[in-house]
């Protein structure tokens, strides 16, 4: 089934051919908004900038665990350092709002939620003592990292601006965290986001 706004898969194949050589034989299939290509050696995912945005939008709507595993913790540190200007007291207030947002998206489990609040308080207490939020979040990283991410997102008036900044920072600074980290290349005109730019990276996916 075609996905609205997505170019035909032949465009993804052409982008890969530009990278991998027109004479190579490879097999292709759609993968959500992306394409997977197997050249007999590796499996590659081919994506446009908007495809990445679509994935990130989905994570923040319904898949908080994906926020934890798909984004490096340092990304949120970059946001807090470069994009978000809050003193420590205001940041803790915003973190609590992020924590509440996280639990609104979970199946109700009062025991787990109470335990999570205890860990949240441990995190904020440690943060107040040493000023190192990411280190403090290790008390319960699978929950606290999405909480921090949601806190950062709350500081933006427009969700699209936040998601765009996520994609740009990932591509600029954390491309080794996209896919399996073995290869990441850009095919297309300089400057982005550009609708005709494609990103090709190796992934651990069955084909």
């Amino acid at each position: 089934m075609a996905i609205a706004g997505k170019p035909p898969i032949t465009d993804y194949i052409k982008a890969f051919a530009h990278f991998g050589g027109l004479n190579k034989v490879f097999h292709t299939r759609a993968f959500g908004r992306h394409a997977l290509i197997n050249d007999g050696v590796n499996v590659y995912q081919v994506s446009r900038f908007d495809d990445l945005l679509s994935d990130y939008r989905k994570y923040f709507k319904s898949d908080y665990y994906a926020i934890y595993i798909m984004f490096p913790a340092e990304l949120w540190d970059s946001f807090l350092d470069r994009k978000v200007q809050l003193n420590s007291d205001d940041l803790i207030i915003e973190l609590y709002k992020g924590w509440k947002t996280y639990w609104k998206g979970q199946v109700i489990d009062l025991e787990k939620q109470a335990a999570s609040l205890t860990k949240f308080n441990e995190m904020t207490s440690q943060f107040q003592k040493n000023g190192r939020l990411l280190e403090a979040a290790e008390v319960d990283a699978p929950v606290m990292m999405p909480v921090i991410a949601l806190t950062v997102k709350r500081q933006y008036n427009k969700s699209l601006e936040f998601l765009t900044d996520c994609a740009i920072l990932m591509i600029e600074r954390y491309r080794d965290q996209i896919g399996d980290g073995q290869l990441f290349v850009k095919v297309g005109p300089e400057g982005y986001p550009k609708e005709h730019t494609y990103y090709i990276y190796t992934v651990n996916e069955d084909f």
Side-chain angles (χ1 to χ4, degrees):
M1 179 183 296
I3 297 176
K6 178 183 175 180
I9 198 167
T10 52
D11 287 3
Y12 292 75
I13 295 172
K14 288 176 183 177
F16 184 81
H18 181 77
F19 155 72
L22 292 172
N23 295 324
K24 280 193 173 183
V25 176
F26 42 81
H27 306 281
T28 309
R29 69 175 173 87
F31 187 63
R33 292 189 62 92
H34 315 267
L36 288 183
I37 295 181
N38 186 341
D39 68 353
V41 178
N42 296 300
V43 176
Y44 302 85
Q45 188 161 315
V46 184
S47 308
R48 295 180 310 143
F49 192 86
D50 285 351
D51 301 333
L52 298 174
L53 289 184
S54 179
D55 281 354
Y56 297 171
R57 185 178 291 108
K58 177 180 65 178
Y59 300 160
F60 279 88
K61 281 185 177 179
S62 61
D63 194 353
Y64 294 153
Y65 185 67
I67 296 174
Y68 171 60
I69 63 173
M70 301 301 290
F71 297 110
E74 292 78 13
L75 175 66
W76 313 122
D77 209 27
S78 295
F79 271 102
L80 292 171
D81 182 51
R82 297 170 54 183
K83 301 283 186 179
V84 178
Q85 302 298 319
L86 292 170
N87 62 45
S88 58
D89 289 340
D90 287 341
L91 179 55
I92 288 172
I93 292 171
E94 292 299 316
L95 286 168
Y96 180 63
K97 292 177 182 177
W99 180 86
K100 290 198 295 183
T101 298
Y102 173 90
W103 278 101
K104 283 180 182 177
Q106 305 300 311
V107 176
I108 295 176
D109 186 323
L110 295 180
E111 186 175 341
K112 286 185 177 179
Q113 188 171 352
S116 178
L117 181 58
T118 297
K119 291 179 179 179
F120 175 85
N121 289 332
E122 289 177 22
M123 178 185 76
T124 56
S125 178
Q126 185 177 342
F127 171 55
Q128 287 175 312
K129 289 178 182 177
N130 61 29
R132 296 190 290 273
L133 181 58
L134 296 188
E135 179 181 306
E138 288 300 318
V139 67
D140 188 12
V143 173
M144 298 309 167
M145 289 305 173
V147 165
I148 293 170
L150 290 165
T151 298
V152 170
K153 182 177 181 293
R154 282 179 57 85
Q155 309 315 304
Y156 281 74
N157 292 323
K158 296 181 179 179
S159 177
L160 180 59
E161 291 180 1
F162 165 72
L163 296 170
T164 298
D165 280 349
C166 279
I168 289 173
L169 279 171
M170 287 293 289
I171 291 167
E172 283 184 345
R173 302 182 63 179
Y174 305 108
R175 58 175 58 186
D176 61 334
Q177 301 287 324
I178 299 176
D180 65 11
Q182 299 301 308
L183 177 138
F184 181 98
V185 297
K186 175 183 161 190
V187 174
E190 291 301 318
Y192 61 89
K194 296 284 188 181
E195 64 180 16
H196 297 301
T197 298
Y198 289 80
Y199 304 94
I200 299 169
Y201 43 98
T202 49
V203 292
N204 292 315
E205 292 287 346
D206 294 330
F207 197 90

